[in-house]
Amino acid sequence: MRSLLAFIPALLFSGLALAEPLHGISMHGTPALPADYKSFPYVNPDVKKGGRVSYGVVGTFDSLNPFVLKGMRTTARGVWDPEFGNLMYEPLMQRSGDEPFSLYGLLAETAEWDDDRTFIQFNLNPKAKWQDGQPVTPEDVMFTFNLLKDKGRPPFNSRLNGVAKMEKIGEHSVRFTFNENANRETPLILASSTPILPKHAIDPDTFEQSGLGKVVGSGPYRIKSLRPGERVIWERNPDYWGKDVPSKVGFDNYDEISVLYFLQVTTMFEAFKKGDIDIYPEGDAINGSADTSHWGQAYNFPAVHRGDIARDIFEPRQPSGMFGLVFNTRKAIFANEKVREGLSYALDFEWMNRNIMGGSFKRTQSYYQNSPLGAFGNAADARELALLGDAAKKLPPELLAGTYAMPVTDGSGADRTVLKLAVDTLKQGGYAIKNGKMSDSKGRQLAFEIMTQNPAQERIALAYQRSLRLIGVDMAIRSVDDGQYQARSNSFEYDMIIRSLPSSLSPGAEQLNRWGSASRDANGSFNYAGVADPDVDRMLDALLQARSTEDFQAAVRGYDRLLTAGHYIIPLYHIGAQWVARWKYIARPEMTPMVGNQKQTWWDARAQ
C-alpha cells in the first residue's frame, strides 16, 4: 500500500497526468461555447430535414480518394470537403465557423491535454459508428494516421511528424504524445484536419489506387449513384450516428445532394438559370473568375423577374488572402528577387481593373490585409522587430512602417513612370533593354510561360502580356484543361500560374505546406512559389509556438512582411464579400458566421 501511495503523486505530474476532459479546445484562449451548448450559433437548430439540393462545380472527377497524390483535385466533391461539408468522412473534432480556431466534440466526444500541450488524448464518442454499423474505435484512429503517413499525400503524410508516441488508452481513447517537432497547433491539426478512416474496410495495399469503388465512412451521407466526371448523387444515411451531436445540429439538412460537373463556368450558369442547379456562387477568386459586371448584368431572365431568385452578399470577417500570379522560383529565371519585383511592377492593375473587371476591385497589398494580423497599415512594433531580428534590416523601411504598396498607374495601360520603375528594377536583376528586348548580359531575352485553366484567367494573362511587351519581355500563355492544370501544379511543371491562397484569423500549420522549406520539393504541396527561406521558416515557428494573442499577432505580421518583400506573387485583388445566387426554395439561417456563408447549414424550404 505504501508503494502505491508513493506512486500516485508521480503519476499526477507525469506525462500521463489526469487531465480534465474538455468539450472543446482553442488555439488561443478558451472556446466561446459552454459545455452544455446545444448547437453552433449560426445554424437553425429547429430546421426540418428533407428535400434536396443540386450544386454545380467546374471540373471533373475520377476518384473517391482525396488523400493520395494520384486522386488529388480530381476527387468527387463532398468526400472530404470544407465547402459542401464532409459528407463521407469526419474528423475527430468539428471546427466552429464563428471563432478563429475552436474545435468541439464530434467523433471524439471530449479531449484532454496539458497547458504545455505535450500530449492530447481523444475520448471517442461511444455512439460513433461507420455507415455499415461497425463502431469507430481507437484502432481506426491509429490505423488512419499510420496509413496516411505511409500512403498519403501532403499534408496528410506529415501528421505524425510531431508525434513521439500514439497509443490506445482504455476502450475508447487514443493519446498522442508529442516530440520536439510538434508545436502548439499540432493537437488541433490532429483533431480537425485529418479524416478518420475505417480499418476494417480499407486494404492498405490498394489504398493508393484511387478509384470509384465502394467506400465506407462515418459521415451523414453515402453515395447513391455516380456517373464518372459528370454527376454524384449523395443520399442521407438515415442511421447517421451524429445527428444529435451539438456540433452537427442544424447541419446536413437535405435528404439528397446532387453535385453536377461542368466544363465551363458559362455552362454552369445556364444550368442555374434553368433550375438544374440550385445555388450559384459568383466572384470565384480561386479560379480567377470574379466579375462584377456579371453579377450586375447577367440576372435578367424570367426566374429573376418572377422573384424566384435571391442574391445574397455575405461579408466574412476574415483577412483578404492573396490572389495573384505566382512565380515558380524553382525556375532559374525567377530565382532573383529583383527580377520578380520588376516583373511585378510591370502589371498595370488599374488598366486591368477598369477594362476587364468593371473597375470594382481594390488591389491586395498583403496576405493578411484588412485584419489585425496584416502588415499593410500596421507598423512593426518592438515585439515584432525582436522576432524578425536581422531579417528586419533587409526589409524596405516603408514595409516596416506598414505603408508599402504596389505602384499605382494612370490606368492608360502604358504609364511611363511605372514602366520605368519596372525596367530599373529589372536592371538590378541583370536585365536591360537591347534592340527592343529585355535581355541578360548574354543577350538572352527574358521569356517565360504562364499556365491558365479558364477564360477568366486567360483575360488576366492577356492583360499582363500586353504590359510586358512594352518593356521587351516575352510571355507566352498556355491554356490547359482542369486535369492537366492540377497534374502540372502538383509536380510544379510551370513558370507561372494564377492561384488563390485564402487567409484566416488563425494561420497555423497549413502555412508550412504553403511556404515552409520542407514543402518546396514535396510533390502535391501547396508551396507553388517554391519558397525555401530560413527567415520565413523562423517566423512560421514563431507563430506556431505563440502562446499569447500579442505574440501571435506580431509573428503573423512579420511573416506577412517577409512574404510581401519576397515578391513571390504579383498581387491582384480581393473581393471582400461572397456573392451567392440561389433559388428561393433553398433557405438559409439569418446569421452569417465569421468565415462567411456555410452551405452545409442551408435547407430545402419545400420540405418544411
Side-chain angles (χ1 to χ4, degrees):
M1 177 66 69
R2 181 180 179 182
S3 60
L4 177 60
L5 292 174
F7 173 73
I8 291 176
L11 173 64
L12 293 176
F13 290 99
S14 72
L16 292 176
L18 302 177
E20 178 186 359
L22 303 170
H23 75 288
I25 56 177
S26 288
M27 183 62 188
H28 299 106
T30 57
L33 302 179
D36 62 350
Y37 83 103
K38 304 302 181 185
S39 66
F40 288 154
Y42 52 88
V43 307
N44 176 0
D46 301 317
V47 65
K48 180 181 177 182
K49 298 181 186 295
R52 63 169 185 80
V53 69
S54 292
Y55 297 126
V57 294
V58 175
T60 185
F61 73 94
D62 58 9
S63 169
L64 296 176
N65 186 348
F67 314 120
V68 295
L69 192 59
K70 182 179 179 182
M72 188 178 181
R73 299 290 187 176
T74 56
T75 306
R77 296 292 300 273
V79 176
W80 178 253
D81 192 319
E83 182 179 0
F84 296 161
N86 298 326
L87 307 182
M88 176 64 67
Y89 298 113
E90 298 179 300
L92 289 163
M93 303 187 79
Q94 181 86 338
R95 187 166 184 167
S96 169
D98 203 45
E99 301 175 51
F101 199 175
S102 291
L103 308 176
Y104 295 86
L106 186 57
L107 288 176
E109 188 173 27
T110 60
E112 305 173 31
W113 61 6
D114 58 350
D115 289 341
D116 290 333
R117 301 186 188 179
T118 62
F119 75 93
I120 189 167
Q121 179 171 310
F122 298 107
N123 304 314
L124 298 182
N125 191 318
K127 298 179 181 178
K129 64 180 180 179
W130 301 104
Q131 292 166 349
D132 60 6
Q134 295 291 318
V136 178
T137 67
E139 286 79 8
D140 290 319
V141 177
M142 294 188 289
F143 167 80
T144 295
F145 282 93
N146 283 323
L147 177 66
L148 294 178
K149 177 184 177 181
D150 295 336
K151 307 283 189 176
R153 67 165 176 87
F156 299 110
N157 61 351
S158 62
R159 294 289 190 243
L160 292 181
N161 287 357
V163 176
K165 182 168 60 173
M166 176 174 58
E167 58 187 325
K168 179 180 177 180
I169 304 294
E171 291 300 313
H172 298 289
S173 301
V174 179
R175 175 176 289 223
F176 296 82
T177 302
F178 301 122
N179 60 30
E180 66 279 0
N181 295 320
N183 55 65
R184 292 186 64 77
E185 192 186 25
T186 299
L188 288 91
I189 295 300
L190 299 182
S192 64
S193 300
T194 302
I196 302 305
L197 308 175
K199 180 179 179 180
H200 69 280
I202 291 178
D203 181 353
D205 292 336
T206 60
F207 182 67
E208 290 179 285
Q209 300 171 15
S210 303
L212 297 171
K214 182 180 179 181
V215 291
V216 176
S218 65
Y221 289 87
R222 57 196 179 194
I223 293 176
K224 178 180 180 181
S225 64
L226 59 80
R227 187 178 304 156
E230 297 181 19
R231 179 196 302 263
V232 181
I233 298 179
W234 298 84
E235 64 179 357
R236 184 202 311 282
N237 176 14
D239 300 320
Y240 173 51
W241 73 273
K243 59 181 179 296
D244 297 321
V245 172
S247 66
K248 293 295 283 182
V249 169
F251 287 77
D252 314 314
N253 299 320
Y254 306 103
D255 281 345
E256 186 174 284
I257 298 174
S258 298
V259 183
L260 309 183
Y261 288 76
F262 299 89
L263 296 179
Q264 296 180 340
V265 173
T266 53
T267 309
M268 188 170 83
F269 184 67
E270 290 301 315
F272 172 72
K273 290 166 62 175
K274 292 188 296 182
D276 292 338
I277 61 175
D278 300 316
I279 300 172
Y280 185 81
E282 286 273 8
D284 186 359
I286 292 177
N287 292 316
S289 60
D291 187 347
T292 54
S293 62
H294 190 271
W295 180 250
Q297 300 172 16
Y299 291 84
N300 183 22
F301 52 91
V304 175
H305 302 321
R306 291 194 306 266
D308 294 336
I309 302 291
R311 291 193 291 161
D312 301 315
I313 299 178
F314 303 94
E315 296 184 355
R317 303 184 299 280
Q318 294 277 70
S320 62
M322 179 60 71
F323 169 57
L325 289 72
V326 184
F327 294 103
N328 185 354
T329 63
R330 302 171 187 83
K331 303 288 186 176
I333 193 172
F334 294 145
N336 190 306
E337 182 182 304
K338 284 297 176 182
V339 172
R340 301 195 299 271
E341 182 179 358
L343 290 171
S344 298
Y345 295 155
L347 186 143
D348 192 333
F349 176 78
E350 285 66 36
W351 184 92
M352 181 186 298
N353 190 27
R354 185 178 67 189
N355 287 278
I356 69 173
M357 296 185 295
S360 300
F361 296 103
K362 293 183 178 180
R363 193 163 198 187
T364 303
Q365 304 293 351
S366 80
Y367 292 76
Y368 293 90
Q369 193 171 333
N370 296 339
S371 82
L373 302 179
F376 182 69
N378 295 306
D381 59 15
R383 191 187 302 258
E384 182 186 338
L385 291 173
L387 286 174
L388 285 168
D390 289 341
K393 301 174 184 177
K394 307 174 188 177
L395 299 178
E398 59 270 24
L399 190 53
L400 290 173
T403 59
Y404 175 83
M406 297 298 291
V408 177
T409 73
D410 59 14
S412 66
D415 187 313
R416 290 180 177 271
T417 301
V418 177
L419 288 174
K420 183 179 186 301
L421 175 63
V423 171
D424 291 345
T425 307
L426 285 168
K427 187 174 183 180
Q428 297 176 55
Y431 287 90
I433 298 178
K434 302 172 185 176
N435 300 319
K437 297 180 179 181
M438 185 66 68
S439 305
D440 64 13
S441 59
K442 296 182 180 180
R444 294 173 296 195
Q445 185 178 15
L446 178 53
F448 62 93
E449 178 183 272
I450 184 169
M451 183 173 69
T452 64
Q453 67 177 139
N454 58 48
Q457 288 188 358
E458 289 175 23
R459 289 195 293 271
I460 291 172
L462 286 167
Y464 186 39
Q465 183 186 60
R466 177 184 179 277
S467 297
L468 291 177
R469 284 174 177 165
L470 298 176
I471 58 173
V473 177
D474 180 19
M475 187 193 83
I477 300 173
R478 179 187 292 269
S479 298
V480 299
D481 62 31
D482 186 66
Q484 288 180 292
Y485 188 89
Q486 299 307 332
R488 292 183 60 175
S489 295
N490 291 346
S491 56
F492 314 121
E493 295 177 33
Y494 51 83
D495 296 335
M496 175 180 281
I497 55 174
I498 300 175
R499 297 293 305 198
S500 176
L501 296 174
S503 296
S504 75
L505 290 171
S506 60
E510 80 286 348
Q511 300 298 310
L512 297 170
N513 198 42
R514 292 184 183 182
W515 303 103
S517 296
S519 65
R520 180 184 188 273
D521 297 318
N523 281 359
S525 82
F526 299 150
N527 192 341
Y528 298 113
V531 174
D533 183 330
D535 288 327
V536 170
D537 291 338
R538 191 164 48 80
M539 296 307 291
L540 276 169
D541 185 63
L543 72 87
L544 290 169
Q545 299 294 358
R547 292 198 174 206
S548 70
T549 300
E550 293 78 13
D551 286 343
F552 179 69
Q553 179 175 285
V556 180
R557 284 184 182 177
Y559 175 56
D560 193 10
R561 283 182 229 277
L562 290 174
L563 295 181
T564 302
H567 296 282
Y568 301 114
I569 296 181
I570 304 176
L572 290 172
Y573 53 84
H574 57 277
I575 299 173
Q578 298 166 345
W579 308 328
V580 182
R582 59 185 166 90
W583 285 80
K584 283 188 175 179
Y585 51 75
I586 300 298
R588 63 175 181 82
E590 292 184 7
M591 179 180 173
T592 300
M594 179 181 293
V595 298
N597 81 83
Q598 295 279 277
K599 296 182 182 66
Q600 313 98 302
T601 67
W602 297 12
W603 64 89
D604 187 343
R606 297 168 297 187
Q608 301 305 298

